[in-house]
Amino acid sequence: MSDTERDIERDGDTERDIEQIRLLIARLVQLYDLHRHDEWIAAYLTDDTVLTSPGGTLYGREAIRAEISKVPDNGWSGVHLLGEPAITVTGSSAHALTDVVNIKVTEAGTYAVTGFGRYDDRLVRAADGTWRLTVRNRSIAGAAAPVAD
Amino acid sequence: MSDAQDVATVLARVAQAHGDHRDEEWIAQYTTETTIWGALAEGSRSVRALLGLASPAESHAVHFQSIPVIEIDGPVAHAWTDSFTVSLDPAGGFAITSVVRLEDELVRDGAGRWTFARRLPTPLLPPASPPAGRPAKVTGRQP
């Protein structure tokens, strides 16, 4: 294989990694909004994932699961809308910055922006080849939200 | 460019064309037999009728889309996209007039072009019922 062919193959791998990470970031919030927490916790976290927000820090999958179980399931009542993430892949690690806007249904039956912020994510490629979130630092302006929001 | 990127581009172009009232352009992205809201739309006139269009004079809006989740299975793509519409009201203010999850099925034709075979928009808020005796006025729906 020539150097050029190796470069092309490496570029293709990076493109695939970025696409998988975009999918992870997008799918995670869609599942969250539908209260399908077991699915995103199982598919996208590691045992040691750390979630940090202005409300505090959760260490590990079980702590995250316990915290999220306190959030009442009122059905689909809000969405996390994401900007295009800036993703940097370095070997089996990655860094992603993603802007987010939270929109919820109000008691008056209208839509309201309840917050916006940025996900600062660290990810790793697991042994099975899938990408997992290891650290999420969430900055947010606006209403208080659950730590795992 | 990958298939997923191609599909993402189609989703973005359709939303932009709808916001700009370039109706023929986004309607052309539908197959001749597309299922919308669970109903079969045969031809562009049916697509237009099923999705409903506000006239440019009464609708200045932009459709923002979150990152789509796209799964490719050969010549078929499935996409789930959260979207919201910001509209300009007559008083000059801005309001979020629609939040929907779009569930799409697209197919790749012989020329490699992706077109919609099925679109199911699920609004976060159910559309308000029109007053008795008046037809529903549709604004802010996503194409």
Side-chain angles (χ1 to χ4, degrees), chain B residues 9-30 48 53-54 56 59 61-65 116 119 141-143:
Chain B
T9 301
V10 169
L11 298 173
R13 283 196 177 136
V14 163
Q16 289 174 357
H18 186 252
D20 295 344
H21 301 284
R22 289 182 276 120
D23 298 336
E24 297 310 319
E25 194 172 322
W26 65 259
I27 288 172
Q29 293 289 336
Y30 287 73
R48 181 190 292 269
L53 294 174
S59 173
V62 63
H63 305 296
F64 284 94
Q65 294 189 333
F116 291 91
R119 165 152 278 197
R141 270 190 188 175
Q142 282 278 290

Side-chain angles (χ1 to χ4, degrees), chain A residues 15 19 22-23 25-27 29-30 33-34 76-85 98 103-105 109-113, chain B residues 1-5 8 64-71 80-84 96-101 122-126:
Chain A
E15 199 171 293
E19 214 160 282
R22 286 178 80 250
L23 190 67
I25 293 167
R27 190 67 175 145
V29 295
Q30 287 190 3
D33 291 335
L34 294 170
W76 188 43
S77 58
V79 292
H80 292 72
L81 294 144
L82 306 173
E84 187 62 32
T98 312
I103 297 177
K104 288 195 166 75
V105 173
T110 60
Y111 297 114
V113 174
Chain B
M1 195 181 281
S2 70
D3 285 335
Q5 287 169 326
F64 284 94
Q65 294 189 333
S66 192
I67 306 169
V69 172
I70 297 167
E71 294 175 359
W80 295 263
T81 314
D82 289 338
S83 172
F84 71 104
I96 298 169
T97 51
S98 169
V99 178
V100 295
R101 174 158 296 175
T122 304
L124 188 56
L125 270 175

Side-chain angles (χ1 to χ4, degrees), chain A residues 39-142:
Chain A
E39 290 178 54
W40 65 263
I41 288 171
Y44 300 133
L45 305 190
T46 70
D47 289 343
D48 304 320
T49 295
V50 176
L51 298 185
T52 298
S53 77
T57 300
L58 297 171
Y59 297 94
R61 181 185 264 148
E62 291 316 311
I64 294 163
R65 194 192 309 276
E67 184 69 19
I68 211 79
S69 69
K70 297 174 187 170
V71 179
D73 182 354
N74 298 323
W76 188 43
S77 58
V79 292
H80 292 72
L81 294 144
L82 306 173
E84 187 62 32
I87 300 169
T88 307
V89 177
T90 310
S92 293
S93 303
H95 178 226
L97 293 169
T98 312
D99 288 340
V100 56
V101 175
N102 299 31
I103 297 177
K104 288 195 166 75
V105 173
T106 68
E107 288 183 1
T110 60
Y111 297 114
V113 174
T114 56
F116 62 87
R118 180 168 295 160
Y119 296 140
D120 185 335
D121 294 334
R122 301 280 171 184
L123 305 101
V124 292
R125 192 191 291 111
D128 63 1
T130 61
W131 285 92
R132 302 278 175 147
L133 188 65
T134 55
V135 179
R136 167 162 285 184
N137 287 309
R138 183 177 60 97
S139 62
I140 189 155

